Amino acid sequence: MPEEELFKTEALRPRAEIAEALVSAAERIRSGSVRLESGPEERRVALPETPTFEVELERLTDSETAEERYELEDEIRWTE
């Protein structure tokens, strides 16, 4: 199945600001309707009652510099 990116935003932010964004996201998820926005871009999506929830922690190593970086991902999946 080909992947189609519908929305993406990425920025350096202080931990406290990230925590507030996650609290806000949790409230929207609980309500069943999520609105994503960044500048003029906006997306809305309705969540089913029981989607799949995945938490993943990865350590990635740059093949050229050997620099390590970590990614902590929370993912919610469902089919329509």
Side-chain angles (χ1 to χ4, degrees), residues 26-39:
E27 292 168 359
R28 292 189 306 262
I29 291 165
R30 183 175 284 122
S31 78
S33 178
V34 175
R35 184 181 79 174
L36 304 168
E37 62 181 306
S38 179

Side-chain angles (χ1 to χ4, degrees), residues 5 8 10-11 17-18 20 25 27 29 32-33 37 40 65:
E5 186 171 277
K8 182 175 180 175
E10 184 175 331
E17 193 175 314
I18 293 169
E20 282 301 314
E27 292 168 359
I29 291 165
S33 178
E37 62 181 306
T65 65

